[in-house]
Amino acid sequence: MIPQGIEIFVATEPVDMRFGFERLGGLVRERMGREPRSKALFVFFGKRRKTVKVLWWDGTGSVLFYKRLDAGLFEIPKPACEGEASVTVSEAAFEAIFAGLSTRVVH
């Protein structure tokens, strides 16, 4: 359903999971400086990191995915610079994050 090669922006600060299309779209504009209808994915985590919402515009309307993990926590990527509102991730990193897997590199 989601096309390959799409940009993926992950919010670095948790949000209220009661937010719907309009509030999340407002956060995309205000905090991320992006347009919610840009066909990018915008990923938001709940405060307890057990839930995630993904906002996407498919060209005909807004789509909102909502997932709650049965066990474990979602890992929020760290921004390169302190205070950044979002982090751009690859499709592979997004898939790992959405699956509840760790994306940390082990040395």
Side-chain angles (χ1 to χ4, degrees):
M1 175 193 265
I2 297 171
Q4 291 185 336
I6 197 165
E7 287 185 296
I8 304 166
F9 300 96
V10 179
T12 57
E13 293 294 321
V15 300
D16 187 330
M17 284 290 107
R18 294 175 290 185
F19 290 178
F21 295 100
E22 297 304 319
R23 288 291 296 263
L24 292 174
L27 292 177
V28 169
R29 282 189 193 95
E30 293 166 15
R31 292 187 186 172
M32 297 180 180
R34 308 270 179 204
E35 176 55 42
R37 291 185 173 180
S38 64
K39 293 193 179 180
L41 289 184
F42 299 99
V43 183
F44 300 92
F45 295 95
K47 292 178 175 105
R48 294 183 185 96
R49 295 182 19 230
K50 297 280 290 173
T51 55
V52 66
K53 283 190 175 182
V54 180
L55 182 65
W56 175 52
W57 189 70
D58 71 354
T60 62
S62 296
V63 180
L64 188 60
F65 297 98
Y66 183 34
K67 182 174 183 177
R68 181 180 64 211
L69 290 177
D70 287 337
L73 301 173
F74 287 109
E75 185 177 304
I76 301 174
K78 301 279 187 234
C81 298
E82 189 70 30
E84 285 185 318
S86 66
V87 174
T88 305
V89 299
S90 68
E91 291 175 39
F94 168 72
E95 288 177 13
I97 291 167
F98 198 70
L101 304 174
S102 176
T103 57
R104 291 188 183 141
V105 177
V106 179
H107 296 281

